[in-house]
Every structure is written in C-alpha cells, then in structure tokens.
C-alpha cells in the first residue's frame, strides 16, 4: 500500500504537468473503484483549471476554484503522466486530459482507490475531517502524542498508525521510527514517558522526510507509460530484515504479528 512518502512524491511528480492547466476531457473506463466514480464527473471537471496539487494524509487533492477532486491510491493505485498516443492498459480506469496532449492516468489493479469530487470546504469533508495532524507540520510533536496516549492500552505501534492520532505513519515507517527512537513496538502507548514521545515524534518526522527526499530521484517515473513510485530504496534498518543482524548491536532482529501487521524490532536496542 502506498504510504505518505509515496503519496507526497506522487503529488510532487504530477504537479508540474497539471498545476495551472485546464481539464479538457475526462474519460472513465471503469467506475468501480472503492466508491463508484460519479456519473457526472466528466461534466463537472471539464473546463476547470487545477489551481494546486496538495496532500492531506494519503489523499491527493486536485484543487480548483469550484471544488476539489480527492484521489486515493488505495492498495495498488498510481497516477502517472502520459500522452494521448499511449494506449491505456487493463487497469487504467480514469484519464484526466489537460490541454491537447497531457493525460493524468489513474491505474488501480485492485480498485481500492478512489476519485471523489466535492464542492464543499475540503477540511470539513467526511473523508478528511477526523484525520489527525500531518507529521511534517509543527502541530505534530511529543506533547500531542503524550497527551493522546494517556490511559491507552494498545501497543504504541498501533497507536502511531491510527490516522486519528497522526496521519500517514504506515507500517513500514512505523517500524523504522520506533527502531530509531529505541521504543519497543509492543509497549503499551500509555506507559511511555513524555521525553520518549518527544524523541519518537522527531524520529517519525526524520524517517518520513528521508524517504520523501530519496523519492526525488524517482520523479521521472511519472512521465512514462509504466512508471509507478513504488517503495523507495532507502536503507531500511528493521522492516524486511527479520532474522538479520541489528545494524547497531548485531543481535538478530525479531519479527512478530501485531494487529495483523509485520512488526520487526531489536530486543536489545528497543525497550
């Protein structure tokens, strides 16, 4: 599933090609996404200019003066820039055409993604209004995590993956952040001290920023017929390394299932 850095890189990849450009055509080949694409989406969008491309959590927002198109990549979706001559594939469900020859193509093999239009204030939309703060902005910090964690008995890994607490900390980056902060992912969220949450907030921000920074080298993938961001090839310290030596102490890393998610940690370095 694309996580926040992949979604942020998608925003940065497509923005130069569509920001300030007018939608001249919309082609929906398969409306059967997580929520059916509106029958009148083409009528709504045609003639509108995209004023900005932004992100809220894992939602990509194509903002216009008349409203916003919310795009979610689901578990397998991608957006890429192609031209009209590039024929759509089996899972290319929606095209937004800009000008004469620029096409923003939505591909989603599993169809868990979404394209939802709203002409209402975006922050009050049902899909966004209950989301927690963005982890890269100033209102996300250790104070917030500490306050929200009191009396919480769930594992801290599940706690930071809750989008009502903070958005965009998916499984891969939760593993990496907790390792960097030296916190055992199975510890109860309510039993962790304020100073350790300060450290964890810093680590979450650093891990995500590093991944986004490395994503900058993949932006060219958004302008070919098969390009997808994928997961960045950064050096992951724990995720995917179960049984291998910890990069800090050399002890074999442990893997468990936590809330049905792969969880990898070092019993020696994390407590």
């Amino acid at each position: 599933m694309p996580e926040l850095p992949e979604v942020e890189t998608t925003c940065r990849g497509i923005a130069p090609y569509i920001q300030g450009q007018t939608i001249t055509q919309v082609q929906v080949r398969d409306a059967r996404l997580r929520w059916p694409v509106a029958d009148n989406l083409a009528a709504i969008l045609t003639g509108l200019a995209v004023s900005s491309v932004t992100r809220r959590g894992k939602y990509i927002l194509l903002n216009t003066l008349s409203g916003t198109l919310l795009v979610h990549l689901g578990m397998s979706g991608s957006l890429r820039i192609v031209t009209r001559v590039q024929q759509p594939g089996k899972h290319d469900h929606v095209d937004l055409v800009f000008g004469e020859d620029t096409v923003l193509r939505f591909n989603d093999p599993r169809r868990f993604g979404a394209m939802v239009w709203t002409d209402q204030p975006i922050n009050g939309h049902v899909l966004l209004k209950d989301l927690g703060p963005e982890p890269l902005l100033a209102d996300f910090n250790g104070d917030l995590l500490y306050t929200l964690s009191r009396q919480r008995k769930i594992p801290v890994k599940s706690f930071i993956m809750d989008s009502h607490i903070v958005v965009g900390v998916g499984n891969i980056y939760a593993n990496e952040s907790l390792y960097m902060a030296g916190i055992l992912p199975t510890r109860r969220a309510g039993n962790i001290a304020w100073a350790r949450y300060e450290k964890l907030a810093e680590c979450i921000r650093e891990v995500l920023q590093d991944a986004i920074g490395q994503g900058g080298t993949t932006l060219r993938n958004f302008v070919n017929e098969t390009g997808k961001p994928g997961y960045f090839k950064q050096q992951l310290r724990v995720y995917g390394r179960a049984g291998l030596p910890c990069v800090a102490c050399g002890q074999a890393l442990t893997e468990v299932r936590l809330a049905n998610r792969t969880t990898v940690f070092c019993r020696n370095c994390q407590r």
Side-chain angles (χ1 to χ4, degrees), residues 96-125:
L96 303 184
V97 182
F98 295 81
E100 295 294 326
D101 200 36
T102 299
V103 179
L104 179 65
R105 181 162 287 168
F106 179 74
N107 175 282
D108 188 4
R110 300 183 69 179
R111 297 204 305 271
F112 284 117
M115 280 192 164
V116 178
W117 169 260
T118 180
D119 59 5
Q120 299 300 306
I122 194 62
N123 289 335
H125 193 277

Side-chain angles (χ1 to χ4, degrees), residues 86-156:
Q86 292 171 332
Q87 293 299 307
K90 178 180 179 181
H91 303 297
D92 291 331
H93 302 312
V94 182
D95 282 358
L96 303 184
V97 182
F98 295 81
E100 295 294 326
D101 200 36
T102 299
V103 179
L104 179 65
R105 181 162 287 168
F106 179 74
N107 175 282
D108 188 4
R110 300 183 69 179
R111 297 204 305 271
F112 284 117
M115 280 192 164
V116 178
W117 169 260
T118 180
D119 59 5
Q120 299 300 306
I122 194 62
N123 289 335
H125 193 277
V126 65
L127 295 175
L128 306 182
K129 65 184 180 67
D130 294 326
L131 293 179
E134 291 286 335
L136 302 181
L137 299 182
D139 55 350
F140 173 70
N141 51 47
D143 282 335
L144 174 78
L145 291 179
Y146 179 78
T147 299
L148 295 178
S149 68
R150 297 306 86 189
Q151 310 303 316
R152 299 292 297 270
K153 297 181 180 180
I154 62 172
V156 64

Side-chain angles (χ1 to χ4, degrees), residues 1 3 157 161 170-172 175 256-264:
M1 178 183 294
E3 297 196 23
K157 179 168 177 272
M161 290 182 64
N171 191 43
I172 291 175
N175 278 274
V256 299
R257 299 290 289 180
L258 194 60
N260 206 33
R261 297 292 188 93
T262 299
T263 304
V264 184

